[in-house]
């Protein structure tokens, strides 16, 4: 039975991979509709021939890697269960100490280490791809350092999460998912509070914006939006990437508006002010808090479904998967696999909500700045810097895009410009 499940698991993954290869490289049409040709949303008007070719090549390969990576994680956890690696991890943990919590930590370390090793080839391919297309400027040693920081941060958080999770399962087999969710609320808020000041600085250097004249313009913009901002931060990213970005993260007194130095180097002041107005819109319209609420709602549903699915799977295939009970630490790979599947399935919904919020932020920004040339120039430069597709395939948009496509964003700005001119002439 274990061989049969393993065979069908590999077969499903191969068929899935071939489908997306065919879809991305042979079926999906990324050409523009006739009415957009020659507009400022047409990449042929602002990218040269080589940039157009590279953006198509890079996007196709990067999208294929995305669609292969997540199901590969599921396949990894499935084979951890089928091959009985969980039994070996638990045995090694039991031989090391009698303390249950420490045993769980040791089990988790081995599982995390094997997962890190299994997914390392895909991670390296992704890194090499961005390097070969001149998106990444990061050295291998710097990239490996970030990977190891990721490993240890995730491992440290998982020690706490898994320890509490299995303590709750042992206390309440029926309602552990509800208690886990209730505890996840303050934990999520705490981590969002820590993110800007503790976790992010482990990867990059943050400091107040050096260009004080530009900072004064940004703070003036913030004052118009009634945002109590005192500083804008910039982060040193040029040694890692040529991409451009700006974002708002954190909550409460730790919330920050952050600009990448690559953005500062490649965009003019008017373009940067449009980006800042966009980020301020998220604050004004409380998108961060709506995002937290949405995440917590989805996590409640996700934990409930995970609990029900785990009970069903272990009841039916527990012996084959070598899981004696839900409250046994050897059920952890199953828990992680189901949760990952549910996150993937729910991503079209969360991306749809995110695209709506980003669209609202774009409209807010152009209403505040009234500078369509700067706004359109910003999106064109973002496209060039990231070798992004202006009009990505439908499945890519649904599963990957938390922002509207560049076609949608630039077209909205052109429509705004036309309407604005009509109103001026009336």
């Amino acid at each position: 039975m274990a061989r049969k499940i393993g065979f069908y698991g590999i077969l499903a993954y191969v068929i899935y991979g071939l489908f997306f290869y065919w879809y991305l490289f042979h079926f999906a049409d990324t050409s523009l509709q006739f009415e957009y040709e020659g507009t400022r949303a047409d990449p042929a008007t602002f990218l040269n021939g080589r940039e157009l070719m590279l953006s198509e090549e890079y996007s196709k390969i990067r999208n294929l890697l995305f669609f292969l990576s997540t199901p590969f994680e599921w396949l990894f956890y499935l084979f951890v269960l089928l091959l009985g690696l969980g039994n070996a991890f638990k045995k090694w943990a039991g031989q090391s100490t009698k303390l249950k919590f420490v045993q769980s930590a040791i089990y988790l370390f081995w599982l995390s280490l094997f997962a890190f090793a299994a997914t390392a080839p895909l991670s390296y391919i992704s890194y090499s791809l961005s390097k070969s297309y001149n998106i990444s400027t990061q050295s291998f040693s710097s990239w490996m350092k970030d990977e190891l920081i990721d490993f240890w941060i995730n491992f440290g958080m998982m020690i706490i999460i898994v320890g509490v999770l299995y303590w709750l399962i042992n206390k309440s087999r029926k309602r552990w998912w509800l208690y886990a969710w209730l505890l996840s609320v303050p934990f999520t808020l705490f981590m969002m509070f820590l993110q800007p000041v503790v976790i992010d600085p482990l990867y990059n250097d943050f400091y107040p914006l050096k260009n004080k004249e530009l900072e004064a313009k940004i703070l003036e913009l913030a004052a118009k939006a009634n945002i109590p901002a005192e500083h804008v931060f910039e982060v040193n990213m040029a040694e890692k990437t040529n991409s451009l970005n700006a974002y708002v993260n954190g909550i409460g007194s730790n919330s920050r508006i952050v600009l990448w130095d690559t953005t500062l180097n490649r965009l003019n002041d008017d373009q940067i002010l449009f980006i800042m107005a966009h980020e301020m819109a998220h604050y004004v319209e409380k998108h961060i808090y709506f995002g937290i609420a949405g995440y917590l709602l989805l996590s409640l549903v996700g934990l409930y479904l995970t609990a029900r699915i785990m009970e069903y799977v272990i009841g039916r295939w527990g012996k084959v998967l070598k899981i004696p009970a839900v409250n046994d630490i050897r059920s952890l790979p199953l828990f992680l696999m189901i949760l990952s599947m549910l996150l993937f399935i729910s991503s079209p919904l969360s991306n749809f909500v995110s695209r709506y919020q980003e669209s609202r932020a774009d409209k807010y920004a152009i209403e505040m700045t009234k500078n369509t040339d700067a706004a359109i120039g910003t999106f064109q430069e973002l496209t060039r810097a990231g070798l992004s597709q202006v009009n990505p395939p439908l499945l890519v948009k649904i599963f990957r895009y938390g922002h509207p496509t560049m076609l949608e964003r630039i077209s909205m700005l052109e429509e705004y410009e036309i309407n604005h001119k009509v109103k001026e002439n009336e």
Side-chain angles (χ1 to χ4, degrees):
M1 186 64 176
R3 288 184 179 181
K4 190 175 181 180
I5 293 174
F7 171 77
Y8 283 118
I10 293 174
L11 181 63
Y13 182 72
V14 171
I15 293 172
Y16 166 91
L18 289 173
F19 167 77
F20 273 102
Y21 175 81
W22 167 78
Y23 175 77
L24 293 170
F25 285 83
H26 299 288
F27 178 77
D29 183 13
T30 58
S31 61
L32 298 186
Q33 294 176 337
F34 174 77
E35 60 265 32
Y36 296 111
E37 292 181 2
T39 67
R40 283 186 283 180
D42 185 349
T45 64
F46 60 89
L47 298 180
N48 61 42
R50 177 173 171 76
E51 289 171 334
L52 283 169
M53 179 192 69
L54 291 177
S55 66
E56 283 298 311
E57 285 181 356
Y58 177 68
S59 296
K60 286 177 181 178
I61 302 171
R62 184 182 60 171
N63 290 331
L64 180 61
L65 285 172
F66 166 81
F67 284 112
L68 291 178
S69 296
T70 303
F72 181 80
E73 180 186 343
W74 310 340
L75 200 63
F76 165 76
Y77 287 129
L78 177 63
F79 274 86
V80 166
L81 295 169
L82 293 175
L83 296 175
L85 290 176
N87 290 335
F89 299 156
K90 187 173 183 180
K91 181 181 177 182
W92 297 341
Q95 290 172 347
S96 303
T97 180
K98 297 295 183 183
L99 298 173
K100 289 289 185 183
F101 179 77
V102 181
Q103 286 180 359
S104 295
I106 294 172
Y107 176 95
L108 183 60
F109 172 78
W110 286 112
L111 179 63
S112 301
L113 186 63
F114 272 65
F116 181 82
T119 56
L122 281 175
S123 298
Y124 179 73
I125 290 170
S126 181
Y127 161 71
S128 298
L129 176 71
S130 60
K131 188 88 169 173
S132 62
Y133 280 86
N134 202 34
I135 302 297
S136 173
T137 59
Q138 192 172 20
S139 66
F140 175 79
S141 59
S142 174
W143 172 78
M144 197 66 217
K145 177 186 174 183
D146 285 351
E147 291 289 301
L148 291 174
I149 291 173
D150 278 343
F151 175 85
W152 288 111
I153 288 176
N154 291 333
F155 175 64
M157 289 194 295
M158 287 296 288
I159 286 177
I160 300 170
I161 293 169
V162 171
V164 172
L165 179 68
Y166 279 87
W167 178 78
L168 291 172
I169 295 175
N170 279 295
K171 289 293 183 182
S172 176
R173 286 285 294 273
K174 290 185 177 181
R175 294 188 178 87
W176 63 265
W177 58 272
L178 178 60
Y179 302 137
W181 178 79
L182 290 171
L183 287 176
S184 76
V185 175
F187 181 78
T188 299
L189 295 176
F190 178 67
M191 291 307 300
M192 290 192 71
F193 187 79
L194 285 185
Q195 182 83 28
V197 293
V198 176
I199 297 176
D200 288 349
L202 294 174
Y203 296 89
N204 303 292
D205 296 324
F206 291 78
Y207 31 81
L209 188 60
K210 295 175 183 176
N211 186 338
K212 296 303 176 185
E213 184 179 341
L214 176 59
E215 185 179 46
K217 293 179 182 178
I218 294 171
L219 294 178
E220 182 182 349
L221 203 64
K224 290 180 181 178
N226 296 317
I227 297 174
E230 295 181 3
H231 296 289
V232 178
F233 291 86
E234 63 178 283
V235 55
N236 179 20
M237 290 297 295
E239 62 185 20
K240 293 185 177 182
T241 183
N242 284 318
S243 295
L244 313 181
N245 197 17
Y247 60 87
V248 176
N249 70 342
I251 56 174
S253 61
N254 276 8
S255 60
R256 285 183 173 183
I257 298 175
V258 179
L259 276 163
W260 285 11
D261 60 348
T262 51
T263 304
L264 293 165
N265 295 336
R266 293 183 64 163
L267 299 183
N268 61 42
D269 283 8
D270 288 339
Q271 292 170 333
I272 291 170
L273 288 174
F274 173 78
I275 290 178
M276 288 292 94
H278 173 100
E279 298 304 331
M280 290 171 191
H282 292 307
Y283 179 93
V284 171
E285 300 203 353
K286 297 179 171 55
H287 290 163
I288 293 174
Y289 298 100
F290 282 119
I292 293 171
Y295 166 78
L296 292 175
L297 179 60
L298 280 177
S299 65
L300 174 61
V301 175
L303 283 169
Y304 170 76
L305 291 175
T306 300
R308 299 286 76 83
I309 295 171
M310 283 182 73
E311 288 284 357
Y312 174 78
V313 171
I314 293 173
R316 184 163 182 177
W317 296 291
K319 289 184 179 180
V320 178
L321 299 176
K322 301 170 181 63
I323 306 173
V326 173
N327 63 340
D328 192 289
I329 190 67
R330 285 170 288 186
S331 69
L332 180 60
L334 179 63
F335 173 84
L336 295 173
M337 180 171 66
I338 294 170
L339 205 59
S340 176
M341 287 178 170
L342 293 175
L343 283 171
F344 185 76
I345 292 168
S346 66
S347 61
L349 174 61
S350 56
N351 284 338
F352 175 80
V353 173
S354 177
R355 286 196 301 271
Y356 171 76
Q357 291 180 337
E358 296 295 339
S359 177
R360 294 272 302 176
D362 284 346
K363 290 173 182 176
Y364 179 94
I366 194 60
E367 288 288 350
M368 176 175 273
T369 61
K370 308 285 187 191
N371 192 335
T372 52
D373 287 337
I376 291 172
T378 298
F379 290 141
Q380 290 176 338
E381 192 60 34
L382 284 168
T383 302
R384 179 182 291 107
L387 291 180
S388 305
Q389 287 176 311
V390 168
N391 186 33
L394 179 62
L395 289 180
V396 174
K397 176 184 173 180
I398 289 172
F399 281 95
R400 291 208 68 188
Y401 274 55
H403 290 72
T405 66
M406 288 303 180
L407 175 62
E408 293 166 337
R409 302 180 92 171
I410 296 176
S411 297
M412 182 275 292
L413 291 169
E414 288 192 308
E415 185 178 344
Y416 170 85
E417 186 176 46
I418 292 170
N419 293 335
H420 189 66
K421 287 179 179 178
V422 169
K423 288 180 180 178
E424 285 183 341
N425 294 329
E426 287 179 352

